[in-house]
Amino acid sequence: MNPNRDSQVLEFLRQQQVPYRLLLQQEAAVTIAAAAILRGVRPAQMVKCILLRDMRERYALACVPGDLSVDPKKVRSYLGWKRMTCATRDQVLQVTGYAVGAVPPLQLKTPMPILFDPKITQEPEITISSGHLYASIAMQVNDLVQLVQPSLISIHREPLFD
């Protein structure tokens, strides 16, 4: 697949006439720190999307800046669901249509609640996955929020030490 042309996310952005920059990578990154270096951005500018599921097989996409972690208890509390855990690799692909590490908050295969931590909006320009492990998308955060229409709720895990 060619990340320049084959991404349904890129096609969606073109249809919506949303400006973006495609950031191509020579290799797939396995950590946020590595991805930030490959993209030439700070981890705080990256939107990390974590698929969570509850005991009734309901799913939610929890999104935080790349330098933070998702607190499943906060997501569960907001949604009023029971125990939530991270989805498996197979579930991520089946439910979102994207591989782990390439999940954007747009064009998901399955409709579900999407939650953004408000700290995402502190960066004017952010990056999201394009649906490919070798490419990401830089865009204005306001455009992303407008397209996704997420619930804005504090869902990041508080650091143990300051």
Side-chain angles (χ1 to χ4, degrees), residues 51 92 116:
L51 184 67
V92 170
F116 274 21

Side-chain angles (χ1 to χ4, degrees), residues 35-48:
I37 290 168
L38 290 169
R39 294 177 184 183
V41 299
R42 292 176 289 105
Q45 292 175 283
M46 300 171 63
V47 176
K48 179 170 42 176

Side-chain angles (χ1 to χ4, degrees), residues 79-120:
L79 295 173
W81 294 358
K82 300 251 186 243
R83 185 174 172 257
M84 296 194 82
T85 60
C86 288
T88 66
R89 286 184 176 278
D90 289 343
Q91 290 167 335
V92 170
L93 183 58
Q94 179 184 359
V95 172
T96 68
Y98 303 103
V100 169
V103 177
L106 297 167
Q107 298 299 102
L108 300 172
K109 182 177 173 183
T110 307
M112 68 186 74
I114 300 175
L115 289 70
F116 274 21
D117 192 283
K119 288 192 178 281
I120 288 173

Side-chain angles (χ1 to χ4, degrees), residues 127-147:
T127 66
I128 61 171
S129 291
S130 68
H132 291 277
L133 292 172
Y134 295 91
S136 62
I137 298 166
M139 62 188 298
Q140 296 297 304
V141 70
N142 292 338
D143 289 338
L144 181 64
V145 171
Q146 182 67 34
L147 290 172

Side-chain angles (χ1 to χ4, degrees), residues 48-89:
K48 179 170 42 176
C49 299
I50 305 296
L51 184 67
L52 299 173
R53 70 176 179 86
D54 78 344
M55 301 306 287
R56 293 176 48 196
E57 296 296 316
R58 293 181 291 188
Y59 292 89
L61 193 67
C63 304
V64 296
D67 60 342
L68 298 176
S69 298
V70 170
D71 186 338
K73 290 178 183 175
K74 290 182 178 181
V75 175
R76 179 187 75 205
S77 176
Y78 174 75
L79 295 173
W81 294 358
K82 300 251 186 243
R83 185 174 172 257
M84 296 194 82
T85 60
C86 288
T88 66
R89 286 184 176 278

Side-chain angles (χ1 to χ4, degrees), residues 6-52:
D6 295 339
S7 170
Q8 61 187 10
V9 177
L10 294 176
E11 180 59 30
F12 177 71
L13 293 176
R14 286 190 291 269
Q15 288 173 354
Q16 299 300 312
Q17 300 180 346
V18 172
Y20 67 88
R21 290 181 299 116
L22 186 63
L23 306 174
L24 298 175
Q25 300 167 198
Q26 294 298 318
E27 58 190 74
V30 294
T31 66
I32 290 292
I37 290 168
L38 290 169
R39 294 177 184 183
V41 299
R42 292 176 289 105
Q45 292 175 283
M46 300 171 63
V47 176
K48 179 170 42 176
C49 299
I50 305 296
L51 184 67
L52 299 173

